[in-house]
Amino acid sequence: MKEKMMDAMQKFSKAMFVPVLILPIAGILIAIGNVFTNVRLIERFPFLDNPITTGFGSILSASLLPILTNLGIIFCVGIALGLAKKKKAEAAFTALLGYLVFLYAMNKFMELRGMLVAADALQGSGQALVLGVQVLDMGVFLGIILGIIVALIHNRFIDTTFNNAFQVYGGARFVFIVLIPVVVLFAILSSIVWPVIQTGIDGLGGIIQETGNFGIFLYGTLERLLIPTGLHHLIYTPFLYTSLGGVAEVGGQVFEGARNIYFAEIADPAVKVLSQSVIWDARGISKMFGLLGACLAMYQTAKPENRVKVKAILIPAVVTSFIAGVTEPIEFSFMFVAPVLFVIHSALSGLSMVALNIFGSRAIGPNGFIDFLLYNLPLGIEKTRWPIYIAVGIVFFFLYYALFRFLITKMNLKTVGREDEGNETKLYSKKEYKEKRLAGAGVGVTAEVIPSSVPTDSISALITKGLGGDSNIKTIDNCYTRLRLKLKNPELVDETLLKEETQAKGVIKNGENVHVVYGLTVPKVREELEKFLGREGEIE
């Protein structure tokens, strides 16, 4: 039961990435639009004061803001697409239809029950206009729930076929036929139950607000601690895109979620100071500064004869973390061989968010230095107080460095370059860590038998061999940095081969679910692997 629940959560976490990875693009373009309409920048650079650039900036920001106010449909389609096991395009299209059915079903039911408030009284009523239809304001939660419902029905009935005259009603059409009554009933039930649920969500948001810095610390710590499970997306997504992260009115429109409020405020010239929401997207300190200090400590504590190789291993990981905010290559260098360092790292990440909150900085850099420049510098110091962000980052660089160096030397931790004689300097995997523990306890470890029938003339062939062969691979998918697979027998995985021959940064096994970390190149890795296995398109 535990494995089934974890498997379901892994799938949901992966599906959340479909819409979540798109939204930062909208934010970056809104920030660029703000560059061309920022009064302070126009005063400093007079050539920007012309109808072409200011008009372009205004159009760019205005055209992308509606994405933030229509996240329900984006998450509905994205999650249905992500959770569908096959024929994903049909699942996404069905989700769109289901969303429209839900809106009009709820609107009609509320009209018949006399539940609709006057159009001029929507503010604070718990109701909103969604795609021009007045319904209860369920926000992103509607998209998430409906996306899951659509995916479940799609996966169950997509292979349904009929004979004779009813053939035309099979497949995706039958999915929609089954979906209609389910969605209508869900709309009716939601009309009655959702106000109670919303009260609970508002109460939880109030608790988070009341806990203040403790809530921030807990949020930041858990967001890092759950990385080995791949479920850390489930921690930050609700705060960034739902009412748990705050509710604010900007330019006459109501926005939910810390990141949505941020994007709306940076696009509105009338906003002079960004909202002081308790939780916001402040994950960049550990990515841009903290882990750099950790890497410096690992380099300086490495054995002298290994430092050249350690430098070659850590420098690309440092650049990736600082520029793009991808931290897993560094985190996997100590996560399993020195778990105490990972716990310290998680706590420091939470503490860095507390520090930013105490000093009143609302700067963000969720995906590294490039994001930091685009989001914060054009807004000026008054809005974001970004120099405080830099100052806090420098402090945490030295804090990470001091703590990591002290613990590594004091506890003789076997981080990169400090391996016992005879062991190769490399980034260790979870399997190797467990084998070391078993060997230390006097338990014999038998090498895994890997099929030798797979050709080894390409990276995809090596990955296939490392995963136990073609027949061992049930499903293939990916998120931002990981190749996510479901295997028949995870014990056939050769982590040494994957790390040494395919440059994998780490391997995580949880039941049948196996994650292989490749970083930002993972979409290409997946594409080539699917081509090699002849599984292009959707995979069951």
Side-chain angles (χ1 to χ4, degrees):
M1 185 64 183
K2 181 181 177 182
E3 285 191 8
K4 287 183 178 180
M5 286 188 63
M6 183 60 69
D7 182 44
M9 292 177 70
Q10 293 272 8
K11 288 180 179 177
F12 178 66
S13 177
K14 179 262 297 181
M16 289 285 281
F17 249 73
V18 176
V20 166
L21 284 179
I22 294 298
L23 295 175
I25 303 300
I28 290 173
L29 293 176
I30 288 172
I32 293 174
N34 180 262
V35 170
F36 294 105
T37 57
N38 188 284
V39 175
R40 187 165 298 174
L41 283 177
I42 291 175
E43 291 175 353
R44 186 174 301 176
F45 304 103
F47 68 88
L48 292 174
D49 188 11
N50 66 82
I52 296 177
T53 56
T54 56
F56 171 76
S58 299
I59 293 171
L60 190 61
S61 297
S63 62
L64 290 165
L65 273 176
I67 292 177
L68 308 183
T69 54
N70 292 285
L71 288 178
I73 192 168
I74 293 172
F75 272 79
C76 178
V77 173
I79 288 176
L81 177 70
L83 289 178
K85 295 180 179 178
K86 59 175 66 174
K87 298 186 177 178
K88 293 178 178 287
E90 285 90 336
F93 181 63
T94 304
L96 174 62
L97 298 177
Y99 194 84
L100 295 175
V101 171
F102 178 92
L103 293 181
Y104 283 92
M106 175 177 274
N107 175 267
K108 180 55 66 174
F109 179 77
M110 293 178 67
E111 179 187 332
L112 294 174
R113 292 286 302 273
M115 298 170 63
L116 295 176
V117 301
D120 57 356
L122 286 175
Q123 186 70 31
S125 67
Q127 299 180 21
L129 288 176
V130 180
L131 300 182
V133 183
Q134 186 174 334
V135 292
L136 290 177
D137 188 5
M138 297 176 66
V140 174
F141 292 107
L142 170 59
I144 293 173
I145 298 169
L146 199 54
I148 294 172
I149 291 173
V150 171
L152 290 174
I153 295 175
H154 174 86
N155 290 336
R156 173 65 179 82
F157 295 105
I158 189 61
D159 291 324
T160 302
T161 57
F162 298 101
N163 296 321
N164 303 323
F166 292 100
Q167 276 184 314
V168 71
Y169 297 109
R173 295 176 182 85
F174 187 69
V175 171
F176 184 55
I177 291 171
V178 175
L179 182 67
I180 291 172
V182 174
V183 169
V184 171
L185 289 174
F186 175 52
I188 294 171
L189 184 64
S190 298
S191 302
I192 300 169
V193 175
W194 184 254
V196 179
I197 297 175
Q198 186 62 57
T199 301
I201 294 172
D202 293 341
L204 179 59
I207 292 173
I208 293 170
Q209 293 283 337
E210 291 170 7
T211 57
N213 288 323
F214 175 75
I216 294 176
F217 174 77
L218 191 61
Y219 164 76
T221 302
L222 288 176
E223 192 271 330
R224 292 289 92 187
L225 272 179
L226 288 178
I227 280 180
T229 69
L231 301 179
H232 52 298
H233 317 305
L234 302 184
I235 293 294
Y236 67 78
T237 301
F239 290 102
L240 299 189
Y241 300 111
T242 77
S243 56
L244 286 176
V247 179
E249 182 179 350
V250 183
Q253 287 185 295
V254 177
F255 293 86
E256 295 182 348
R259 183 177 279 185
N260 296 334
I261 295 170
Y262 178 90
F263 289 158
E265 289 180 337
I266 68 173
D268 190 341
V271 175
K272 302 302 180 184
V273 181
L274 298 180
S275 297
Q276 299 295 300
S277 55
V278 172
I279 300 293
W280 79 108
D281 202 353
R283 295 169 290 154
I285 292 294
S286 63
K287 297 180 179 183
M288 292 169 53
F289 299 97
L291 288 176
L292 273 65
C295 286
L296 180 61
M298 287 190 286
Y299 170 72
Q300 291 189 346
T301 55
K303 296 177 181 179
E305 64 270 21
N306 291 334
R307 287 185 180 175
V308 173
K309 193 164 186 177
V310 170
K311 186 188 297 185
I313 291 172
L314 291 181
I315 286 180
V318 165
V319 172
T320 303
S321 179
F322 183 78
I323 298 296
V326 177
T327 61
E328 287 177 324
I330 297 177
E331 289 162 335
F332 272 83
S333 70
F334 58 82
M335 184 185 295
F336 302 118
V337 295
V340 64
L341 294 181
F342 186 69
V343 174
I344 294 296
H345 162 51
S346 301
L348 288 176
S349 180
L351 191 61
S352 70
M353 296 189 187
V354 173
L356 289 177
N357 188 57
I358 290 174
F359 292 109
S361 173
R362 284 300 177 266
I364 69 172
N367 295 313
F369 189 64
I370 295 176
D371 275 9
F372 178 82
L373 292 177
L374 288 174
Y375 286 139
N376 303 301
L377 265 62
L379 301 180
I381 296 175
E382 184 181 359
K383 269 192 177 184
T384 64
R385 303 184 74 181
W386 59 262
I388 293 176
Y389 189 99
I390 298 292
V392 170
I394 293 172
V395 170
F396 272 82
F397 170 86
F398 288 106
L399 190 57
Y400 266 80
Y401 171 77
L403 283 173
F404 269 60
R405 179 159 187 159
F406 172 77
L407 289 171
I408 290 171
T409 54
K410 187 73 175 178
M411 301 176 69
N412 193 26
L413 300 175
K414 302 303 180 182
T415 49
V416 181
R418 291 176 58 83
E419 300 85 357
D420 294 328
E421 192 170 349
N423 291 336
E424 185 182 359
T425 298
K426 59 182 180 178
L427 304 185
Y428 281 91
S429 68
K430 186 175 183 179
K431 176 184 174 184
E432 290 164 336
Y433 164 68
K434 287 182 176 179
E435 289 178 353
K436 279 178 173 288
R437 278 200 316 179
L438 291 170
V443 179
V445 181
T446 304
E448 307 291 356
V449 178
I450 305 299
S452 59
S453 57
V454 181
T456 58
D457 57 351
S458 72
I459 294 296
S460 294
L462 292 169
I463 293 174
T464 302
K465 186 174 182 179
L467 294 173
D470 186 359
S471 61
N472 194 42
I473 303 172
K474 293 172 68 176
T475 65
I476 307 172
D477 215 319
N478 72 276
C479 64
Y480 196 46
T481 58
R482 307 180 186 196
L483 191 64
R484 293 182 174 229
L485 309 117
K486 180 173 284 189
L487 305 182
K488 294 177 181 178
N489 183 4
E491 297 305 314
L492 294 180
V493 173
D494 185 343
E495 296 187 22
T496 302
L497 187 153
L498 290 172
K499 292 174 66 63
E500 295 182 359
E501 302 296 330
T502 74
Q503 287 75 54
K505 307 299 189 298
V507 179
I508 303 173
K509 293 196 289 185
N510 195 320
E512 291 186 333
N513 294 292
V514 175
H515 295 180
V516 186
V517 182
Y518 285 105
L520 297 176
T521 61
V522 72
K524 186 65 176 177
V525 173
R526 173 191 173 181
E527 180 184 343
E528 293 298 326
L529 181 60
E530 288 179 342
K531 287 181 181 178
F532 177 79
L533 296 176
R535 301 191 191 184
E536 297 179 65
E538 293 94 8
I539 299 176
E540 175 59 54

